Every structure is written in C-alpha cells, then in structure tokens.
Amino acid sequence: MRLALVRIAFAASLAALAACSSSEGVTEAPPPPASSLPPVTSGTPDAGTNDGAPSVPPAQPPASAPPLPEATRAAVQALCDAQIDPSGQGGKSVGLTIGVWTPAFEGTVGCGRTRAGGNAPDGDTVYEIGSVTKVFTGMLLADRVLSGKMKLGDAASTHLVGLSLPTFEGAPITLAHLASHGAGLPSMPDNLTGDRFAPAAGYTRERLAEFLSRTALPDRPGTTYRYSNVGVGILGLALADASGKSFEAMVAETITGPLGMSDTRVDRASYPEARLAQGHQGATPIPPNRIDVLDASGALRSTGRDMLKLVAVHAGKAHALAPVAALTHEEVIAKPQGGGCGLTVEIREAQGTRYLEKSGATSGFTARIVATRSPALGVVVLANTANVDVNGLAQRVHDAARAP
C-alpha cells in the first residue's frame, strides 16, 4: 500500500464524460505529509459552528506579473493557431484560450472565434470547464481536512444527509476514496434525466438515493482506480451537507474569493452574453451544459485569466491556499495505466518531471490544466469545441514555455 494510503489510515485516527484525463507538474521535493501541514482554513467557519478556526484574510489585488516574453508569446500563439479549425474537426477547435504562468511572467493568448462570426477569444472569454471543476472539489476537501473539520479516512456516509453509500464486506467508502476515484462507483448513474447535451440536468437527490440503494461495489474501496463523476458529485454533497452551504458558495468562500477569481462560477446567466464562448461539436453549436445535484463533478465555468490564478498556486506560488493545493497532490491511489491520483488531481511523471493536471469535457467544450513545480510553471487550455486534443496541446505549450 502506498505511503499516501498509510497517511490516510493514520489521519483517520489522528486527524467524461467518463474518461479520466491522463496527467502531466513537478516539485523539487515531494509535498509535505498531511500531518505536517499547518492548519489552514480559507473561509469563515461553517454555519452552525463556532470552532474559532482562523480564516484567510480577504484577497488582496495581486501585483501584475510581467507579460509573456515576445518569444514565448509567439511560440504559444503558433501552437494555438495550429490547433484551430473552423469546422472543429480532427481534434481541433473553433476557438481557444491558452494561459501560461511562471514566477517571472504570465499571460494568455487566444485564437479562432468564440462562435461563428464572433470575435477572437481572449483571457476574459468564459468557457465551460467540465471536470476541471473536480480540482476545486478536491481543494474544498483538503481545506476541511487541514482545518480539522473532516478526516480523509472518514466514512463519507457520516457526512451525508439522507443518503447511504454501498459498502463492500462492511468496508465503507471514505472521503479519500471519493476524491481519488477509488470508491468503486461507476462513472455516471444509470437513471439520469437529462438529454444528450446535458445528461445530468434535472437529476435530483431522490434519484441519486434510488441509484445508490441498488448499487453494489465490485471490490473493496481503495483497491482499484475507476474514474467516477458520480463519486466526486457525492463528495460535493458530503461537503455541502457538512458545511450547510451550496457547492458554489463553498467554492467562492474557500477558493475563488481568496484567489481573486471573480469570473469562476456555475450560473451561466451571471455573465454578460458577449463574454460567453459558444460550445460546439464540430462546427455545430451546442446548448449550454447544466448539472444540478452532481454540480461538484463538472458544473463550473471560468476564463483563462481566472484559471491562471488557480494553476499558479498548484505550481508553487506562495499563497494561503498553498498547503491546500499541496495536500491534493499527495497520491492516494495508483492508476492502472501508470501515474496516480491524489484528491482529484491527476499525477504523472515523465522524464524527471512530476506533472499535476486535470482535463475536463462537456458536450461542447474541452479544458486542461497542467502544473509543475520544478520548473514552476502552469498551463491552461480552454476550447469551445468537444473532443479537442487539449492534452497534447497543453504539453506542447508547457514544453515551449519552459524552453530557455
């Protein structure tokens, strides 16, 4: 059993769409053990509690980093332009926003169009980010663990109201199992109520309870990596039930508020229409995605400029949320194809570099974030077309940005 799993057991006493993205971030040294990280909470105490836990002070406007050097900008722009096809075919996109962060510079480039006849996208264009939402969910769990409100080894059912999770020979599904795709749950419930463009729209807690009541686990939780949207959605419900707040409210209080990410949220109607990218399958416009009770698995929207603030913390930028990000990077379970998964963050090592990453997809959008800590470098790729090769593009951008 891996060291991270030992830590989880110790903490219990002390403390796709369906496809998972392949991963790519590096650290000069492994993140410190969870038990050595200082207690951190990035929001006010939960409703109904009076635990006196300190709160992260309100976000201060960050100092503007120097823009991308001209050579880097030109290289990233060329990679962006090469990935554009107005028909959205061959793994290419109608439009793209790419962001790069390093301690020395940061910036975004855009290419293609937000929609047919529209403008070129930029760092403020709003995209659906799909399963990249899960990184926020993992950070919410890490924040509660570090503030002493939850333990990774807690049985998830103990934090859920009116929902019971299946067990395997008496072994429960823990919070860590849900966050690392080790619970043994399927990718999605088999009783969804939405359409092919937004399959989880209209799905209710009552239908989820019915699905769980007849779901059997194939093996002991924590044994096998199986990517599960419903698992992370249930984790979001456990966090919401324990805090008395909605997923979107928790994200705003704990993550986007402290990081100054003013353009990251669920509600599409809260954005000016002119800033919203149109999703596509090929060149065909696709209706907006909507996820209801499972929103923690993929409901957020964001911009390239906002996502750079998140990826910078995962790449090692100093911030009160740095210990939260570091905890999500500790491997909990190995992936059968290599690499592993922490608290929703995918982990991969290649040529001496440790990559921390996550991809996301909805019916009309594709997204990817990649962070490394050695070198300290973060990449964001947002596409307004389904089935875009964002994994390969993000790696090429990372390689170009780290080149001398």
Side-chain angles (χ1 to χ4, degrees):
M1 194 65 68
R2 292 177 172 264
L3 176 58
L5 292 178
V6 173
R7 287 178 181 149
I8 290 168
F10 180 69
S13 60
L14 292 182
L17 314 170
C20 174
S21 60
S22 62
S23 302
E24 313 161 1
V26 154
T27 59
E28 294 184 0
S35 57
S36 69
L37 294 171
V40 170
T41 180
S42 17
T44 56
D46 291 335
T49 68
N50 186 22
D51 55 12
S55 298
V56 171
Q60 298 300 314
S64 297
L68 299 179
E70 187 52 42
T72 302
R73 175 174 289 279
V76 174
Q77 188 72 60
L79 290 168
C80 190
D81 292 341
Q83 200 68 25
I84 292 296
D85 180 350
S87 67
Q89 300 301 314
K92 297 188 178 183
S93 185
V94 174
L96 284 166
T97 295
I98 297 175
V100 175
W101 176 88
T102 77
F105 55 80
E106 67 178 272
T108 63
V109 301
C111 53
R113 292 285 177 256
T114 58
R115 63 193 69 233
N119 297 324
D122 59 22
D124 295 318
T125 301
V126 179
Y127 296 78
E128 295 173 8
I129 65 171
S131 284
V132 176
T133 299
K134 292 178 173 68
V135 175
F136 294 80
T137 309
M139 291 178 70
L140 292 176
L141 174 58
D143 176 77
R144 293 189 66 83
V145 169
L146 293 177
S147 62
K149 296 171 184 172
M150 285 178 163
K151 298 179 177 68
L152 292 177
D154 286 353
S157 290
T158 64
H159 296 288
L160 289 162
V161 177
L163 288 175
S164 295
L165 300 184
T167 62
F168 184 88
E169 296 178 351
I173 294 172
T174 68
L175 297 172
H177 295 148
L178 293 174
S180 63
H181 304 287
L185 294 169
S187 175
M188 293 292 279
D190 60 8
N191 60 347
L192 293 174
T193 52
D195 59 28
R196 65 190 182 96
F197 299 120
Y203 196 63
T204 64
R205 198 170 179 121
E206 290 71 27
R207 291 187 72 86
L208 176 61
E210 189 275 328
F211 163 75
L212 291 171
S213 71
R214 54 182 171 78
T215 296
L217 301 181
D219 49 25
R220 182 177 293 272
T223 302
T224 307
Y225 175 92
R226 293 183 180 87
Y227 191 80
S228 178
N229 291 293
V230 66
V232 179
I234 291 168
L235 174 61
L237 291 176
L239 293 163
D241 288 353
S243 69
K245 299 166 187 171
S246 70
F247 170 70
E248 189 167 17
M250 287 188 293
V251 167
E253 179 181 277
T254 305
I255 303 170
T256 59
L259 285 174
M261 297 173 67
S262 59
D263 282 324
T264 301
R265 47 192 181 271
V266 172
D267 184 10
R268 185 180 186 275
S270 67
Y271 299 99
E273 186 68 28
R275 292 183 54 205
L276 290 162
Q278 169 66 56
H280 298 84
Q281 288 184 4
T284 303
I286 297 299
N289 189 41
R290 186 181 124 213
I291 301 178
D292 291 306
V293 73
L294 300 176
D295 52 359
S297 69
L300 286 173
R301 295 170 168 84
S302 192
T303 67
R305 199 181 308 278
D306 253 22
M307 291 303 294
L308 280 183
K309 297 174 184 178
L310 182 80
V311 80
V313 172
H314 284 274
K317 182 178 181 179
H319 191 275
L321 282 172
V324 171
L327 182 54
T328 69
H329 304 163
E330 291 202 44
E331 185 174 314
V332 176
I333 194 168
K335 296 169 64 176
Q337 66 270 40
C341 191
L343 302 182
T344 71
V345 174
E346 308 288 342
I347 303 160
R348 178 177 63 89
E349 296 209 15
Q351 299 180 335
T353 297
R354 186 172 189 254
Y355 292 90
L356 309 158
E357 54 201 0
K358 188 73 187 76
S359 289
T362 63
S363 293
F365 292 83
T366 322
R368 175 82 161 175
I369 61 170
V370 176
T372 60
R373 292 196 166 196
S374 180
L377 176 57
V379 171
V380 175
V381 177
L382 304 174
N384 66 346
T385 307
N387 302 316
V388 175
D389 180 20
V390 290
N391 293 11
L393 177 56
Q395 184 64 58
R396 293 191 292 274
V397 171
H398 190 281
D399 292 345
R402 74 185 291 180

